[in-house]
Amino acid sequence: MGYTCSNCKESDVKPGVKLWRHRRDEKGLQLLCFKCAKEDQGVKIAKLKRDGTHKSAHGFTDQIGSGGELIPAIPILYTRKDEGYSYYAVNDFPSKPYTWWQRLPSE
Ligand SMILES: [Zn+2]
């Protein structure tokens, strides 16, 4: 699976935009673009800053939804082909991959 929104039809989404995932992936990994992340959480966020944050009641955050349910999806790239992608845990984003995510277009 590539780094694309699980919800949008491929033609609906620009490749390489920022994606979020559920904090816990019990039901399987779902990657969501900004539009789908807002729909999933039933929240209205007018605009993201370029770095992927928006203003919340608790200051600027890169998480979406109540309790920060959706977090930035930052892939750990394994070297072995058959291992595919895994994702960094929420409080464990190394600065380089996080900077990579911040620089992706927001939508
Ligand atoms: Zn989407």
Side-chain angles (χ1 to χ4, degrees):
M1 185 171 74
Y3 194 75
T4 56
C5 180
S6 307
N7 198 44
C8 287
K9 287 190 224 93
E10 212 152 307
S11 59
D12 290 347
V13 68
K14 271 190 258 168
V17 295
K18 286 184 177 67
L19 298 173
W20 284 258
R21 68 180 182 90
H22 288 272
R23 186 174 279 265
R24 285 171 289 276
D25 291 320
E26 288 102 347
K27 291 177 217 153
L29 176 67
Q30 195 187 18
L31 297 173
L32 296 168
C33 69
F34 180 52
K35 176 176 77 77
C36 294
K38 287 188 290 186
E39 282 173 13
D40 184 79
Q41 293 297 302
V43 293
K44 287 197 166 82
I45 300 167
K47 202 170 167 41
L48 278 181
K49 285 178 46 171
R50 191 176 284 203
D51 67 1
T53 62
H54 63 275
K55 205 169 182 184
S56 76
H58 313 289
F60 280 94
T61 179
D62 57 14
Q63 301 175 3
I64 295 176
S66 86
E69 174 58 27
L70 299 177
I71 62 170
I74 303 177
I76 302 168
L77 300 173
Y78 285 94
T79 50
R80 280 178 49 186
K81 276 185 193 157
D82 56 347
E83 286 181 287
Y85 288 162
S86 183
Y87 289 81
Y88 287 107
V90 64
N91 291 318
D92 196 25
F93 298 149
S95 64
K96 256 188 166 173
Y98 186 62
T99 302
W100 168 83
W101 183 87
Q102 287 180 309
R103 285 179 179 163
L104 294 173
S106 291
E107 52 188 322

